[in-house]
Amino acid sequence: MLVKAKLGFFQRFYLIEIVTGLYITMKNMLFGKTVTIQYPEERRNYSERFRGVHYIKATNGVENCTACMLCPTVCPAECIHIEAGERPDKEKYPIKFEIDVLRCCFCGMCEEACPKDAIKLSTIYEMSQMQREVYEKDFLLDQRGSK
Amino acid sequence: MTMDLFEVGVMAAKIMMLVLVLLHVAPVMAWVERRGSALMQNRLGPNRVGPLGLLYSLCDAIKFIWKEDKAPGHVEPFYYTIAPLVSIIPAFMTFAAVPFGSSIIVGDHTVVFQIANLDVGLLYVLSIASLGVYGIIMCGWSSNNKYALLGSLRSSSQMISYELSLGLSLIGAIMVFSSVKLGDIAAAQGQTLLSLGPLNIPKWGIFIQPVGFIIFITAIFAETNRLPFDLPEGESEIVAGYHLEYGSLKFALLMMAEYVNMFVGAAMITTIYFGGWQFLPGMGRLSVMLGSAFSLDGMAREWLRVLLEISSFGLKVGFFMWFFVWVRWTLPRFRYDQLMDLGWRVMLPLSLANIFVTGFLIYLGVI
């Protein structure tokens, strides 16, 4: 149904409204503050809690992970694949730690579930790749961010 | 009429200059539109290629040239191919009658800065400009696509409705200037209408035909299919309108025709309502100042005057080109019934009333 809006006396002329509109656009053009972030030179400041590329935290060059399998259990996207192994100085450690990042939804549940503070999500958000990537253990052991 | 070598050379130079200007309208306006709209929306717009992003238009041109010139299988090939030409040729032709400067005497020749001062000037422009709609109708019909057809139908009905008030609004101006020669109309606007102390109000069309000007500029917006009247391309309703099936250089030609039509519209507004090549306020003083600063003699002074006249015309046309962009990013699109309502029930009676009031004032001897 067509509902006709009641217009005021000056609004009915329409020309005055057009001039008002033109004034507003010109005001924005001349005095408006541009909100564009010029990406490679300028970057948006994200919060410290931003969930970006994963990494496994290491202390003295040894990964904190004990392959307890809590993160693959809690992962809703089922993108973490761990194969556990044993080592003389440490009871259990991951032989393989892979994250299929295409499936990851960056919910951060793995980070919350981890009892050893091992798997972390950094603040890095530039993750474009030339091929479909599965993050291997070597890649994940790279300490990014400082969380 | 015989022409000697000098006149042929001058004519060729004038035609060359205008064609070059018209060819550059589309890329420059594409840039203005992108950056202008961005600034109005508090963005920066494309600014990476070239200084201020000026070379994006060049990239566009290269892209258009190298794209595959493919015609879909369901089109009518002959009309599909010639439709962009049919829409761009009238757009270029109209500019022949527009004066962009007065005249200068070189030796025993008078060089007029207008390609052809036709006796039917204004009528020629109106009739050739109306031919542009054939290109659009051909696009829509030959595309064999219902959205394209709807777009061209909308365009043709819109043009018919608004051409009435376009022509009628011009009748007021023709009555005042008693001529349809565009050169005469521009020259007649050099007289003074009112003298208020140091302030001289020139006899520009806008001061004697304000209502006619508003009707004319609105009708020009509808004729050139610009927002708020760009229903032929209403992308939210009919995808892209009449140029839906076009790509590569054919599409570029259609875009170019649109911008050249805008340019012709702006030139017509300038010539009839803003004094054509007459000096902008302050330019008369500027020419005297420059003349004495460089101590120019008679001939150089004349050339300076012509240069200032051409730049004055260019500035005015440039302002109206900018006005088209400005309005586009300010007003939303009209609904189709609103468009027809405005055309037939507001603009048509208003333009008729304008003619009667103008006639009455001329009878009283006011103008």
Side-chain angles (χ1 to χ4, degrees):
Chain A
M1 196 182 93
L2 183 67
V3 182
K4 288 217 166 160
K6 270 235 180 250
L7 297 177
F9 183 71
F10 283 111
Q11 282 175 323
R12 248 178 290 165
F13 283 100
Y14 203 63
L15 269 181
I16 297 162
E17 296 299 306
I18 289 175
V19 173
T20 320
L22 289 176
Y23 164 72
I24 289 169
T25 37
M26 193 41 97
K27 192 178 70 184
N28 267 304
M29 184 176 151
L30 295 179
F31 308 111
K33 197 174 162 291
T34 48
V35 292
T36 309
I37 294 171
Q38 303 234 56
Y39 166 63
E41 292 95 40
E42 283 176 70
R43 274 144 205 269
R44 191 188 292 280
N45 285 322
Y46 284 107
S47 134
E48 276 301 302
R49 296 172 58 189
F50 184 84
R51 303 191 292 266
V53 185
H54 318 70
Y55 70 100
I56 301 172
K57 192 152 187 162
T59 30
N60 305 326
V62 183
E63 74 278 347
N64 285 1
C65 182
T66 54
C68 68
M69 303 291 177
L70 275 179
C71 51
T73 313
V74 76
C75 181
E78 296 180 356
C79 64
I80 306 176
H81 176 68
I82 301 174
E83 271 175 31
E86 260 181 72
R87 199 158 60 186
D89 61 326
K90 202 174 174 189
E91 277 191 352
K92 223 176 157 194
Y93 83 107
I95 300 171
K96 250 187 178 177
F97 196 113
E98 288 175 354
I99 296 176
D100 184 357
V101 80
L102 279 176
R103 296 195 60 165
C104 179
C105 63
F106 296 94
C107 60
M109 299 264 261
C110 47
E111 194 179 9
E112 272 183 52
C114 186
K116 287 288 182 184
D117 215 16
I119 186 161
K120 297 283 242 173
L121 295 169
S122 68
T123 52
I124 294 161
Y125 51 86
E126 285 149 333
M127 17 197 348
S128 55
Q129 300 270 350
M130 293 300 281
Q131 68 271 350
R132 298 186 168 202
E133 191 78 6
V134 173
Y135 290 163
E136 308 276 343
K137 194 181 158 190
D138 296 339
F139 176 82
L140 290 169
L141 270 174
D142 208 11
Q143 303 291 305
R144 347 185 141 67
S146 56
K147 270 210 276 192
Chain B
M1 198 176 75
T2 52
M3 287 172 106
D4 60 12
L5 203 63
F6 177 78
E7 279 176 41
V8 171
V10 166
M11 185 57 84
K14 281 193 289 193
I15 292 173
M16 197 66 119
M17 191 180 116
L18 274 192
V19 167
L20 279 180
V21 168
L22 289 180
L23 283 175
H24 283 86
V25 165
V28 172
M29 283 313 289
W31 176 78
V32 169
E33 200 126 32
R34 280 179 193 151
R35 293 305 304 270
S37 68
L39 288 174
M40 282 174 186
Q41 295 161 359
N42 292 347
R43 297 182 286 117
L44 276 177
N47 58 352
R48 290 299 161 114
V49 183
L52 296 172
L54 268 168
L55 295 185
Y56 275 97
S57 306
L58 193 72
C59 298
D60 279 349
I62 293 168
K63 186 193 81 176
F64 277 133
I65 289 168
W66 289 106
K67 277 217 169 180
E68 186 187 357
D69 191 10
K70 187 167 162 48
H74 55 77
V75 300
E76 198 74 46
F78 178 67
Y79 294 108
Y80 177 82
T81 313
I82 65 165
L85 295 175
V86 171
S87 52
I88 198 161
I89 290 172
F92 271 77
M93 273 166 74
T94 19
F95 215 85
V98 176
F100 52 92
S102 63
S103 53
I104 186 168
I105 297 165
V106 181
D108 51 351
H109 293 280
T110 312
V111 177
V112 183
F113 287 89
Q114 180 182 16
I115 288 176
N117 194 8
L118 297 173
D119 289 336
V120 289
L122 202 52
L123 304 177
Y124 165 81
V125 171
L126 283 180
S127 52
I128 299 292
S130 326
L131 284 180
V133 75
Y134 283 105
I136 291 175
I137 293 172
M138 276 164 126
C139 284
W141 190 258
S142 66
S143 289
N144 231 337
N145 175 316
K146 47 192 142 185
Y147 294 117
L149 183 59
L150 274 174
S152 64
L153 277 179
R154 281 179 176 198
S155 172
S156 50
S157 63
Q158 179 177 322
M159 285 227 180
I160 289 166
S161 321
Y162 278 81
E163 220 148 62
L164 277 175
S165 31
L166 183 85
L168 287 176
S169 70
L170 281 178
I171 286 179
I174 295 172
M175 280 159 80
V176 172
F177 298 120
S178 328
S179 175
V180 287
K181 276 174 125 173
L182 283 168
D184 290 1
I185 290 178
Q189 296 179 54
Q191 297 157 15
T192 307
L193 183 67
L194 270 178
S195 262
L196 304 169
L199 201 69
N200 267 335
I201 295 182
K203 201 184 170 186
W204 286 4
I206 174 109
F207 298 117
I208 21 185
Q209 286 282 313
V211 178
F213 166 68
I214 289 169
I215 297 165
F216 185 73
I217 199 168
T218 317
I220 282 284
F221 270 96
E223 288 285 302
T224 51
N225 297 329
R226 292 285 295 182
L227 266 158
F229 305 121
D230 76 333
L231 288 130
E233 305 174 22
E235 65 271 3
S236 52
E237 303 141 22
I238 50 170
V239 198
Y242 59 89
H243 52 56
L244 175 59
E245 296 287 3
Y246 282 86
S248 82
L249 267 181
K250 292 202 195 85
F251 176 76
L253 274 185
L254 285 173
M255 285 308 278
M256 204 170 194
E258 192 175 304
Y259 280 116
V260 173
N261 272 327
M262 258 168 76
F263 196 73
V264 171
M268 291 302 290
I269 295 167
T270 308
T271 312
I272 296 161
Y273 292 100
F274 280 84
W277 41 261
Q278 303 286 353
F279 282 169
L280 284 168
M283 268 196 166
R285 224 163 295 159
L286 183 74
S287 88
V288 173
M289 235 163 61
L290 282 176
S292 56
F294 297 104
S295 55
L296 299 172
D297 59 332
M299 202 57 206
R301 234 169 235 271
E302 286 288 286
W303 278 110
L304 176 70
R305 174 182 61 83
V306 166
L307 208 66
L308 281 176
E309 274 170 2
I310 293 175
S311 53
S312 157
F313 180 78
L315 281 174
K316 287 170 187 171
V317 172
F319 172 76
F320 280 104
M321 293 302 279
W322 166 245
F323 188 72
F324 278 110
V325 175
W326 190 7
V327 167
R328 174 173 180 181
W329 298 103
T330 302
L331 298 180
R333 182 179 296 135
F334 271 60
R335 221 170 47 213
Y336 196 68
D337 62 317
Q338 289 172 331
L339 176 91
M340 285 297 153
D341 202 46
L342 183 73
W344 289 99
R345 290 191 14 208
V346 182
M347 305 259 291
L348 189 62
L350 205 61
S351 50
L352 284 171
N354 183 43
I355 293 173
F356 280 114
V357 172
T358 311
F360 190 63
L361 288 177
I362 289 174
Y363 177 70
L364 289 181
V366 181
I367 16 179

